[in-house]
Amino acid sequence: MSAQPKKIIILGGGSAGWMAASLIQKAWADKGTEILLIESDVINKIGVGEGSTPALRLFFNYLGIKEAEWMPACNATYKCGISFPGWTSKDDPAYADFSAYIHPFYSQADWKTGNAFMHNARLRRDGIDVPAHPDDYWLQSYLAKNFKSPIAAQQLRDEMDYGYHFDSALVGNFLKERLLSMGVKHLVDTVDDVTLNNSGEIASLITKANGEQNADIFIDCTGFAARLISKALNVDFVDYSDSLFNDRAVAIQSSIDCTQDIPSQTTSTALSSGWAWNIPLSNRYGNGYVYSSKYITDEEAEKELRAHIGKSCEGYEARVIPMRLGRLTHHWHKNVLAVGLSQGFIEPLEATALMLIQHTVELFISHYEEMFTEQRDTAGQQNIFNSQLNEVFESIKDYIVAHYRLNSRTDSQYWCDNRDNTNNSPRLNALLNAWHTKGGDFEAELTRHNAELTYFAPSWYCLFAGKGHFPTTVTKPEQHIKVAPTAEIINYCQHVSQQFSVHNEQLAKVYGDKWPKSK
């Protein structure tokens, strides 16, 4: 046997299927692996989110695809971070200065100012009256608030990290056209049956028009249906609904005028029974309301979202999307790898869906090759792989759950129930206790519980500090206590941010003659 499969069948297209095909083609096609992607033309593809983490930039860089090539084809814009307005109480004076904050994509440029923020946040946690709002310390927050791109007009010593906003369906189509031109095989067909061999592995897929299709490895990209991993192999599912209440989303587009300033941030605004996203593309805004059906009906959610968006969504249809939050116990089982919604989903609050697709496939490629170089049996290698991937899911889940536990709203039962819910992991409980205990070593708990697997300490600090979780009684710092110079940092960040291109202007440069000239 070789360190790569002879043939892989990917069942399902969309962003999951074509991202998986892209990574496998890059890694194994020149080593003889045949790739066949089968997708149906009657299944609607779900596009829950249209934002990314900086991982997507690494994805395109790895494939050698320039921004000027893919961004115009996918109506993409730049993303400096995510703004979270409305997650704190409007009536409690303790949260008056924390009505919103930005979770930035920080980089080397933020090293000194970021450490200053965390230093002041530690002091504020101990009841010392010092400035500790994250937006003052991170360069990306200044870029986002001033409609700047994360691209400097002139070369700086430290390059910024950033994500993107995009049309996820167009990303899938872009990758599809690219791969078909590179020889990846493609069938538009429906799978009528799945056959298993004596070992319980998938032997073949029986398609309606093209008959039996065989492979060594099958990749399940069939969305929530999980046609192979769940229905054929009966892999168990770990439900997250006891700690994450939201099970629905309603999505509505709205118009955008590209002659006006285009935001370089996702906005995630807390509403009565969940939160609403607003994502700027080059041709429209993407909007949605992620909510719990136990607290609001689909009709009520649509009405509330339309009122939140305003007139710019008039004439656009609403689409309701059921969501199943959780993960599989085994993402790679026998000869099937689940990728995308088929393997699990954590609501799109931090735009982690494409990152998980990318991470899953890259980790699979690495582990599959290692299985041969280290001469390990398949089951043992799969156990290591599944354990690592499950830990990533759990780490992201804890970060998302923390958003809800730290809310301070009292205007609806939904927010009160989320705050009072005690279905937390031991790790999240330890972090909550450490932060809220005077003298508690928060960073030691992050390390002890491996909480920085997906979100580093600055992100956790932004989350707790951004939602205003500090003592209400504070004292002035004594003379011997060193306080980070916030006023100087603000001046510094304001000065540096002026060296970055206006978002619209940078997009026009990347798009060239494809940039829209008017509304």
Side-chain angles (χ1 to χ4, degrees), residues 420-448:
D420 296 339
N421 187 12
T422 58
N423 290 317
N424 304 322
S425 70
R427 168 170 49 203
L428 183 54
N429 277 332
L431 295 178
L432 291 168
N433 291 334
W435 181 275
H436 293 114
T437 299
K438 186 174 182 178
D441 195 336
F442 186 67
E443 285 164 73
E445 290 300 301
L446 287 173
T447 300
R448 188 163 72 90

Side-chain angles (χ1 to χ4, degrees), residues 48-57 67 70-71 75-84 102-107 139-145 147-151 160-166 262-268 275 277-281 347-355 400 455 500-501 503-504 506-507:
V48 175
E50 294 175 323
S52 82
T53 69
L56 190 64
R57 186 178 172 214
E67 289 181 344
W70 80 267
M71 288 183 70
N75 298 327
T77 64
Y78 291 101
K79 176 182 174 183
C80 294
I82 307 173
S83 176
F84 292 94
I102 292 175
H103 181 196
F105 297 133
Y106 46 85
S107 58
L139 181 56
Q140 294 274 20
S141 69
Y142 292 81
L143 301 179
K145 290 178 180 180
F147 301 94
K148 293 292 189 75
S149 79
I151 310 298
M160 299 299 291
D161 212 353
Y162 55 86
Y164 303 98
H165 302 119
F166 49 87
I262 296 177
S264 56
Q265 64 182 15
T266 299
T267 303
S268 299
W275 59 276
W277 77 74
N278 174 260
I279 293 177
L281 306 184
E347 64 165 78
L349 187 60
E350 287 281 352
T352 53
L354 294 194
M355 180 189 76
I400 301 299
Y455 293 98
F500 286 76
S501 301
H503 194 199
N504 295 49
Q506 178 63 27
L507 290 172

Side-chain angles (χ1 to χ4, degrees), residues 314-328:
E314 290 179 359
Y316 288 92
E317 294 183 0
R319 182 166 63 111
V320 175
I321 306 166
M323 300 189 305
R324 181 186 69 164
L325 272 57
R327 62 163 175 82
L328 297 172

Side-chain angles (χ1 to χ4, degrees), residues 124-141:
R124 187 72 177 263
R125 280 180 53 221
D126 286 338
I128 300 174
D129 187 13
V130 296
H133 193 296
D135 288 6
D136 290 337
Y137 300 86
W138 301 102
L139 181 56
Q140 294 274 20
S141 69

